[in-house]
Amino acid sequence: MDSRIGFGWDSHAFKPGVPLRIGGMTLEHTEGLAGHSDGDVLLHAITDALLGAVAAGDIGSFFPPGDPRWKDADSAIFLNLALEEIQHAGFGIVNVDTTLVLAAPKISPIAGEMRARVAELLNVEMDQVSIKAKTPEGLGLDHVAQAHAVVLLERVRDPEDLKSMSAVIQSQRELEDVVEDLLTQVHGVPKRREIVPAFDIEDIT
Ligand code: MG
């Protein structure tokens, strides 16, 4: 199979007293998003889309609820793990399309900057990343931010391309040890991945 599609969705409630992190950026706002990690709803949705595209589970199967290591964690760690997974499966990103649903703050003035940041985190060009935003009209969900993400992957033919993906991942030094540790754990366990039960619903990531 030469191409794969993946879908991810996430939601987090707004909460006072924490910084608002969306798309790997800190945004000016009166509230942030509640979560065990930094609550970056967009990076979580993209992470799930990437993992879904290669049928590698979901964010909760790699980062179990309540694990103290992920308290206030930078969600770029989760994204990086997903990149390792698609690389491991031999795929690269064609494009990523996302929609944020939130009442405030306004995303359109900073959407370009956010696309650039997400593209940087994914090691792709900015024109491979789309970030759209809508307000939750009629849903009564002004206290919640949601993100939807779709990714298209294609099989990487040239092993050199996979190497270059790896080089970028390696260069993110602050993430490297964590990712390596995780991969050892995840790939070290026999085939069956530990999936968090659906009824364990506290979305801590
Ligand atoms: Mg989440």
Side-chain angles (χ1 to χ4, degrees), residues 35-192:
H36 185 64
S37 67
D38 66 3
D40 194 324
V41 68
L42 181 60
L43 294 192
H44 295 179
I46 296 172
T47 298
D48 261 359
L50 291 167
L51 291 173
V54 293
D58 62 22
I59 198 167
S61 54
F62 289 92
F63 304 97
D67 189 324
R69 283 178 298 175
W70 318 121
K71 179 91 183 81
D72 301 324
D74 183 339
S75 294
I77 291 171
F78 309 151
L79 198 62
N80 223 41
L81 187 281
L83 285 177
E84 288 272 13
E85 283 295 308
I86 67 165
Q87 181 186 354
H88 188 69
F91 287 90
I93 294 171
V94 177
N95 73 309
V96 178
D97 185 21
T98 67
T99 300
L100 282 163
V101 184
L102 72 177
K106 274 223 163 304
I107 299 299
S108 56
I110 51 163
E113 196 183 339
M114 194 178 283
R115 285 174 59 208
R117 176 66 182 141
V118 172
E120 179 187 28
L121 290 171
L122 293 172
N123 187 32
V124 297
E125 299 298 322
M126 194 169 153
D127 66 4
Q128 292 171 273
V129 176
S130 157
I131 296 174
K132 312 181 299 299
K134 306 178 81 69
T135 52
E137 299 294 328
L139 293 175
L141 288 175
D142 286 2
H143 61 292
V144 172
Q146 301 174 65
H148 303 255
V150 179
V151 303
L152 183 66
L153 308 183
E154 70 180 355
R155 188 169 293 286
V156 177
R157 296 283 172 207
D158 184 352
E160 288 301 311
D161 289 347
L162 279 177
K163 265 195 216 157
S164 67
M165 278 173 69
S166 173
V168 168
I169 288 165
Q170 297 293 327
S171 74
Q172 297 181 30
R173 307 191 111 213
E174 76 273 26
L175 304 181
E176 189 178 334
D177 291 345
V178 179
V179 170
E180 207 172 283
D181 179 37
L182 270 170
L183 286 172
T184 308
Q185 286 176 33
V186 172
H187 293 300
V189 286
K191 235 171 169 298
R192 191 172 56 84

